[in-house]
Amino acid sequence: MNSIRHACQKEMDYMRSISNSIYVLACLGLLLYGCEEPVREDPFVGMGAARWDVGKSANFLLSDDRFTKLELEVAYMEGFRPTEVLLEGMVGFLEEFTFKPEGIVLNLREIPAGGEEFYSAEAIAALEDQYRQSYNEGNTVSVFLLVVDGNFEQDETEFFTIGAAYRNTSMVLFGKRIMESSGGFRRPPRGILETTVALHELGHLLGLVNVGTDMVTPHEDEEHEFHCDEETCLMYWAVETSNVFLFVPQTIPTLDANCRKDLKANGGR
């Protein structure tokens, strides 16, 4: 009887040791799995990377350090297709001032009319969230231009906004205001007006003036933050407002020497 009891006890001890070994291995496996380096998402791609402040992506847009290709997505509301002057002007501007060895790609498409007389900043952002398709991905950085069929909510009778940069890779043109303000007596042609304003806003996305791209030489207008103090420069404050009519007759302004130096110092051409 004792021999039987002894044999049973040995078998029980053996089974307990196997069970303990399995438990230890299982715990070790969980421990090792839990200690694996977590997969981290790239903060510079996807929708989240298009929700920063204006100028925060200036170096990414200008240099080829992180992105070697740029996609320009233009979404316009029905009846407000941008002119070829604007489209060619924006692509040419980017080719002139950014390092993108794999090129600049234009993505142009129509979106449904909004039908609003005025658009708030919140409404513009919501429209981008609804219609924007291109975001930073792989080696491609994306810029988004929205053209709406109304005016800006904060406009006044004698002082109004024609365009604005409102996120790090996003800008808007107010198509109705452009239509009403171009082509008439003492008014620039539509293509000249909308291109001038679009390039001005694009300049802000590239960090001008002192909004993401540091100044090589101080030239920020003391009375108008983030704008150049040179009246003939594309980044002069009057360009994005109704004052542009006193500034842009029949030609598109260019960047002055100081703005060009700033872009080059931040990775641009």
Side-chain angles (χ1 to χ4, degrees), residues 7-205:
C8 289
Q9 184 64 47
K10 288 181 65 177
E11 185 174 353
M12 290 176 64
D13 291 343
Y14 176 71
M15 295 300 293
R16 188 178 293 113
S17 68
I18 293 176
S19 178
N20 289 340
S21 297
I22 294 173
Y23 176 77
V24 170
L25 288 173
C27 290
L28 181 60
L30 288 173
L31 181 62
L32 291 174
Y33 181 79
C35 291
E36 284 185 357
E37 189 70 23
V39 178
R40 298 180 180 177
E41 294 184 0
D42 189 339
F44 305 127
V45 301
M47 187 178 296
R51 298 293 183 271
W52 303 344
D53 292 336
V54 173
K56 295 300 183 182
S57 290
N59 179 258
F60 290 151
L61 295 171
L62 286 166
S63 75
D64 61 354
D65 294 340
R66 175 62 177 81
F67 297 101
T68 55
K69 183 178 180 180
L70 188 149
E71 180 172 2
L72 174 60
E73 180 182 0
V74 180
Y76 64 93
M77 288 188 174
E78 183 181 353
F80 292 87
R81 187 186 192 281
T83 62
E84 292 302 317
V85 176
L86 179 142
L87 299 175
E88 293 175 6
M90 291 191 71
V91 171
F93 186 86
L94 290 167
E95 290 176 339
E96 181 178 1
F97 294 109
T98 70
F99 272 112
K100 299 302 169 192
E102 295 189 51
I104 311 295
V105 177
L106 176 64
N107 178 4
L108 175 69
R109 59 195 179 83
E110 183 180 274
I111 61 175
E116 301 293 334
E117 183 177 1
F118 296 100
Y119 289 90
S120 65
E122 294 76 16
I124 292 166
L127 286 167
E128 175 185 357
D129 294 343
Q130 180 179 0
Y131 291 111
R132 182 169 181 171
Q133 296 179 344
S134 301
Y135 294 93
N136 297 356
E137 182 178 359
N139 66 338
T140 302
V141 64
S142 174
V143 171
F144 180 73
L145 170 61
L146 174 67
V147 184
V148 298
D149 56 2
N151 300 324
F152 189 42
E153 185 180 60
Q154 298 179 14
D155 281 350
E156 301 174 6
T157 303
E158 297 299 329
F159 186 84
F160 50 81
T161 299
I162 300 175
Y166 60 93
R167 284 174 175 167
N168 58 315
T169 60
S170 310
M171 50 189 180
V172 61
L173 292 180
F174 298 97
K176 182 180 179 182
R177 184 66 73 185
I178 290 172
M179 292 287 198
E180 296 172 345
S181 305
S182 59
F185 178 66
R186 299 186 64 182
R187 292 288 189 268
R190 178 190 165 199
I192 297 295
L193 176 60
E194 66 180 4
T195 304
T196 297
V197 178
L199 296 186
H200 178 95
E201 304 310 332
L202 189 54
H204 284 315
L205 298 189

